[in-house]
Structure formats: structure tokens, C-alpha cells
Amino acid sequence: MDLFAEALDGALVVRVGEQRIDAAIAIQFKDRMREIAAQPAPRVVLDLSAVQFVDSSGLGAIVSVMKFLAPARKLELSGLTPNVQKVFHLTRMDTVFTIHAAFPEQKLQDAV
Amino acid sequence: MADDCRLPEREFRQTFPADPMLVRSALRAAVARYMRRMTSEEAGTMELVLAEVLNNIVEHAYAGRKGGMIDLSISVTGRGLEVRVADQGLPMPGGVLPAGLAPSLKMSGGTQDLPEGGFGWFLIHDLTQDIDYLRDGRTNRLRFVLPLRREGAVMPESCPIASALGSD
């Protein structure tokens, strides 16, 4: 399970290096996230920009991490690829999570 | 439309043990087989639906039992891909297809009320057509259509190669 955590802008950013969060690794993912989340940070941002595929087991694992962190801490998501975005949209989970296009937010170029 | 005149793909068929890692490789192979006739969104949908169906068999029909086999076959029809899945695990609860209602996201009790499961059958029903389940002796048989938007799923008879094959 390839997860890389760093402190950034007051948040603990966890970058998922796996291409898939699916039934085959959902339990490992949950366990590793619990270990990583032992580091104190008010916000945890899960960066999914390398993840091409999430199934309902992977989605359930992400929800369980959110519940594990609550109520003291929040799980936010960033960098959803199109297929992953679709799963969150179909299940309406995109209404439950704060989702960033990227984290930290890329600065918009000055427009006139 | 030269695009509509491609040779139809052979039927895809794989029989493999009910194991999460083998499910992964089977569904990757199935998606790869039909990649050329799908948009990337359709390929993502196909991968998701197959993952939900096959993982349900691993987790529920065989309930983690080792040695169970899954038989997956896919063929091209006029409307998209017809998928047939068979296993010799436990029957569906009550012998019928699960309803597939979307789990409620109401959080009156806070975040802890959020569901962690129950999305699988909702996604399967939402993304497929003509889904049908049959308990056939000791075998579960599931059949459904994955609709493909792109025309030309069936090679028209007007294609030179189709008539050439027909007269062979």
C-alpha cells in the first residue's frame, strides 16, 4: 500500500500512490490510513490524483476513514480523476466530502 | 463509415477462482478487449460494474470460501456489451436480485450515520440495462447489458467484409 504523508499548509496531506482503491486493498488502505492519521493535524487531505479507479469497497473504505477522524478532524479529498469523480457523483458522496481540484489550491494566474 | 465495418470481436470468456486479485486481472482483461469500441467513460463504467458484480460473488456468494470459480463471458450485441456471469456459490438472498436502492446519506446522527456499504447493487442497477438473475440448480446466472453509445456495435451487412464473410 503506497501512501505518502506530509504536513502542508496546516493539513496532513496523504498522497495515494496506488492506481486503484478497490476490494483487493480496501482493508489495507483503511488500516494504513489509521496509522498515518495518528499524526496530529486538524485537517487530513487525501490526494487521489494518481488513483484511476475506486469501486464501492474503496468508497466504503474512504468513508470509514472519514468516520474514524470525526468529529474532531475532517477528511477532505483532492485531485479526483474522471472515473473516481463519477463514483462519488453517482453515490452522492460528492455532497458529503469537501473536494479540492488540487491541494494546495493552485494559484490562479492573474487575469485582466 | 469504415469504422462500422471492423470485424466483430470474439466473445470474451474467462473462468477464474473467486479471489480479489484474480477478479482484478479478469476485469482488466475484459475492459482491454473492448477498449477500442468504448469512450474512456464507458470503459470506466464497464470496469466499475464488473468489479461490483465479481466482488459481490467473492464476498457474498462464496462468502470468502476458497476454491469457488467464476465464469465471465461477454459478447457484442446491437446495444452494447452483453455480460453473463455464473458462479456456484450461495443463491442471492431470497432468490432474487437485490433492489439496489441508493443508501441514504442523511446524517441526523452526524458523520457516523454515513453508510460504508450498500453502494454496489445501486451502481450495478444504475449503470446496466435488462439485468436478470436466475438460480439454475446450484448455479447463479446473472445477465445484463452494458449500453454503449457509439453506433456500429453490430457490423452492418452492407460492409464489404461482412458480405465477404457471409458468402464464405
Side-chain angles (χ1 to χ4, degrees):
Chain A
M1 172 62 48
D2 184 1
L3 298 177
F4 175 74
E6 60 179 332
L8 209 62
D9 288 1
L12 180 67
V13 180
V14 184
R15 305 202 188 278
V16 183
E18 303 284 333
Q19 285 196 18
R20 310 168 68 82
I21 306 177
D22 63 6
I25 62 162
I27 292 172
Q28 269 175 277
F29 170 79
K30 255 191 277 192
D31 291 348
R32 284 284 290 126
M33 282 299 293
R34 282 180 183 237
E35 289 169 25
I36 288 170
Q39 303 179 42
R43 296 167 74 191
V44 179
V45 180
L46 188 65
D47 176 23
L48 296 171
S49 52
V51 178
Q52 302 298 319
F53 181 78
V54 168
D55 65 9
S56 68
S57 303
L59 181 69
I62 294 169
V63 172
S64 93
V65 172
M66 180 196 223
K67 288 160 76 166
F68 167 74
L69 293 171
R73 298 192 289 166
K74 247 184 96 183
L75 181 67
E76 301 169 28
L77 307 176
S78 80
L80 272 59
T81 58
N83 283 332
V84 174
Q85 163 65 35
K86 185 175 173 177
V87 173
F88 277 83
H89 180 68
L90 288 170
T91 57
R92 304 276 177 262
M93 278 294 178
D94 57 353
T95 63
V96 169
F97 287 91
T98 301
I99 300 178
H100 307 276
F103 191 90
E105 304 283 353
Q106 276 157 353
K107 292 203 170 64
L108 292 173
Q109 289 181 344
D110 289 349
V112 181
Chain B
M1 299 275 188
D3 230 27
D4 295 341
C5 293
R6 289 167 310 171
L7 280 170
E9 284 91 337
R10 286 166 296 144
E11 185 187 75
F12 176 91
R13 181 145 190 209
Q14 265 195 25
T15 304
F16 49 94
D19 167 87
M21 292 311 283
L22 296 175
V23 160
R24 238 193 209 187
S25 50
L27 68 93
R28 296 295 289 166
V31 171
R33 168 70 65 85
Y34 297 101
M35 202 57 145
R36 286 181 54 207
R37 66 166 68 241
M38 297 186 288
T39 64
S40 65
E41 189 188 353
E42 286 169 340
T45 298
M46 178 185 185
E47 185 166 1
L48 180 61
V49 168
L50 292 182
E52 299 304 335
V53 166
L54 300 177
N55 286 319
N56 273 335
I57 295 173
V58 174
E59 288 164 28
H60 302 295
Y62 289 119
R65 214 150 35 85
K66 297 277 175 205
M69 300 296 286
I70 300 175
D71 186 57
L72 169 67
S73 60
I74 305 170
S75 53
V76 179
T77 74
R79 290 184 301 141
L81 299 175
E82 180 171 301
V83 181
R84 292 168 190 272
V85 190
D87 66 80
Q88 284 75 46
L90 300 169
M92 299 274 186
V96 294
L97 212 53
L101 299 174
S104 163
L105 302 187
K106 284 202 188 110
M107 290 189 284
S108 38
T111 309
Q112 300 308 319
D113 283 353
L114 280 177
E116 292 175 39
F119 293 108
W121 280 107
F122 164 69
L123 291 169
I124 295 165
H125 280 278
D126 197 48
L127 297 170
T128 66
Q129 292 175 354
D130 291 352
I131 188 161
D132 181 53
Y133 165 72
L134 173 71
R135 179 72 176 179
D136 174 13
R138 303 176 77 86
T139 300
N140 293 311
R141 296 190 189 280
L142 186 68
R143 193 204 70 90
F144 55 86
V145 172
L146 280 166
L148 297 185
R149 214 173 12 233
R150 190 157 149 185
E151 290 179 12
V154 168
M155 186 164 52
E157 282 181 24
S158 60
C159 289
I161 192 150
S163 39
L165 287 175
S167 65
D168 197 26

